[in-house]
Amino acid sequence: MNINGTPTRTLRAHPEHGSVDIIDQTRLPHALHWLRLSTLDEAAHAIRAMQVRGAPLIGVTAAYGLALALSDEAGDLHLQNAAARLRATRPTAVNLHWALARMEGLLQPLAVAQRRTAAWREAAAIAEEDVRQNAAIGQHGLVLLRRIGRRQSGVLNLMTHCNAGWLATVDWGTALAPVYAAHDAGLAVHVWVSETRPRNQGLLTAWELAQHGVPHTLIADNAAGLLMRAGKVDAVIVGADRVAANGDVANKVGTYLKALACADNEIPFYVAAPRSTLDFAAADGAAIPIEERDGDELRRVHGLDADAALAALQQLPATAAVANPAFDVTPARLISAIITERGVCPAGRLNSLYPEDVHV
Ligand code: MRU
């Protein structure tokens, strides 16, 4: 999608130089800064510190992180240690584990001398797949969006949570792919963007929607219910970090509350996710690990100071007790449909789209 009017992807690989460029998302929406990753350490840090974030992009970055790790040494132990290191960065988004398992599965049987080139090739294949799958989610979602009744004149009012857009993937996004497809097809859409405390990923969503020219309005998370009751929301669409076999969905904390409010207001609640986010080994949401993040994410707020420099303000003493679970689980019964690259299905019927997968 467009950044400064130019079609752009969120990640640029340079196998010939042994490096990958990413956008440092900790500096957005204030500055668009490309950051070069040249080592396993830098890739692991980028994922853990959320310089890259969003389930699909975490998976792709981890795949490239493994390619970076094999630059000087590609023996079995080195490969296993590098994969373990990357796997430990974030627990909830299954794309990370999926991408590393795919990379290891391909690389292990190869001769050591072949692994480096193969790793770069496979990481690139995962990145390309991500773009293709998100584009397909966009088209399937567009069909769905065309069918939704509008509560208010003309414009289709959507709501989203967190950032499941271009920035969270290599291109297009998951939840935002249908939004971009609708906007590009000439449908009048407007997006309510919830701020998503404490990391404020909604600011990223607002930034990328603005870059692509999609009308939107940022709201405090707690305003969602009021807007729904006032008839100002036609549908909610979110991404996912892990979808269990029964259709329960782990996504950014606060997603469950939106689903509950949708149910009370008879508003469709959609989840968009590619195959790499589906975890058929997790029977239901209870099997999904929920990341507990540093309490300083709540104790401090970030923004620009009077000199327009990035700054952090302490809003609570360092000793203040806080809890910071980063994700929640929305039960399948509250989800109107899941949109994947293969089509649209009820949350509890993922096997209709993926009959070849083993179901628990
Ligand atoms: O903690 P984050 O910012 O990596 O969490 C991201 C989300 O929860 C997204 O909504 C999710 O990954 C959707 S996938 C595009």
Side-chain angles (χ1 to χ4, degrees), residues 2-352:
N2 291 335
I3 296 297
N4 296 324
T6 310
T8 310
R9 291 184 174 184
T10 57
L11 185 143
R12 298 169 183 159
H14 308 289
E16 66 289 5
H17 299 125
S19 66
V20 177
D21 293 345
I22 55 150
I23 296 169
D24 182 353
Q25 297 194 29
T26 61
R27 295 173 68 163
L28 283 172
H30 310 294
L32 177 59
H33 176 77
W34 288 87
L35 185 69
R36 180 146 295 179
L37 308 177
S38 305
T39 64
L40 166 69
D41 279 2
E42 288 171 355
H45 174 77
I47 297 171
R48 182 177 288 109
M50 292 172 68
Q51 288 172 322
V52 285
R53 41 147 301 286
L57 188 59
I58 290 172
V60 173
T61 307
Y64 278 114
L66 211 52
L68 293 174
L70 302 189
S71 294
D72 311 316
E73 153 80 77
D76 286 355
L77 193 61
H78 188 72
L79 174 60
Q80 281 161 25
N81 287 342
R85 181 86 195 287
L86 289 160
R87 206 173 280 120
T89 51
R90 297 197 69 188
T92 304
V94 76
N95 309 58
L96 173 71
H97 306 266
W98 171 89
L100 290 169
R102 172 165 160 177
M103 293 289 287
E104 277 188 288
L106 176 98
L107 297 171
Q108 282 287 3
L110 296 182
V112 171
Q114 296 176 329
R115 286 180 180 166
R116 186 181 178 279
T117 309
W120 282 97
R121 202 183 312 116
E122 192 65 3
I126 291 173
E128 287 304 324
E129 242 174 69
D130 180 66
V131 176
R132 276 199 308 276
Q133 293 185 340
N134 295 333
I137 286 173
Q139 292 310 310
H140 293 305
L142 173 59
V143 174
L144 204 60
L145 294 187
R146 284 191 195 278
R147 289 202 211 113
I148 295 173
R150 290 158 180 70
R151 287 169 171 79
Q152 296 193 340
S153 63
V155 179
L156 181 65
N157 278 297
L158 302 169
M159 182 181 281
T160 193
H161 188 59
C162 194
N163 171 262
W166 172 77
L167 281 164
T169 63
V170 179
D171 208 348
W172 298 116
T174 55
L176 293 193
V179 175
Y180 291 123
H183 175 80
D184 291 352
L187 234 73
V189 285
H190 164 262
V191 187
W192 298 107
V193 178
S194 66
E195 188 186 22
T196 316
R197 285 280 293 146
R199 288 291 296 227
N200 295 334
Q201 288 94 333
L203 305 191
L204 306 179
T205 297
W207 178 82
E208 63 163 270
L209 288 172
Q211 288 287 334
H212 202 76
V214 181
H216 61 279
T217 308
L218 189 87
I219 56 163
D221 299 330
N222 293 338
L226 175 88
L227 293 169
M228 290 186 198
R229 279 188 71 78
K232 294 184 175 172
V233 182
D234 297 313
V236 170
I237 182 163
V238 297
D241 290 84
R242 196 184 291 227
V243 182
N246 75 336
D248 290 352
V249 167
N251 193 49
K252 184 53 57 189
V253 69
T255 301
Y256 173 47
L257 290 177
K258 285 198 170 55
L260 284 172
C262 278
D264 194 43
N265 290 282
E266 296 179 4
I267 292 169
F269 179 89
Y270 299 119
V271 174
R275 171 64 188 87
S276 52
T277 304
L278 311 181
D279 183 1
F280 290 106
D284 56 32
I288 300 176
I290 300 295
E291 180 178 13
E292 180 75 31
R293 290 190 62 87
D294 195 319
D296 280 348
E297 291 186 346
L298 281 158
R299 296 186 194 100
R300 291 188 191 147
V301 288
H302 296 262
L304 296 183
D305 65 14
D307 299 321
L310 275 176
L313 274 181
Q314 189 82 24
Q315 64 169 357
L316 277 174
T319 52
V322 297
N324 188 16
F327 299 92
D328 62 23
V329 175
T330 301
R333 67 186 152 78
L334 294 177
I335 299 166
S336 311
I338 294 190
I339 309 163
T340 81
E341 74 283 355
R342 290 202 182 168
V344 178
C345 72
R349 293 291 317 283
L350 280 170
N351 54 349
S352 65

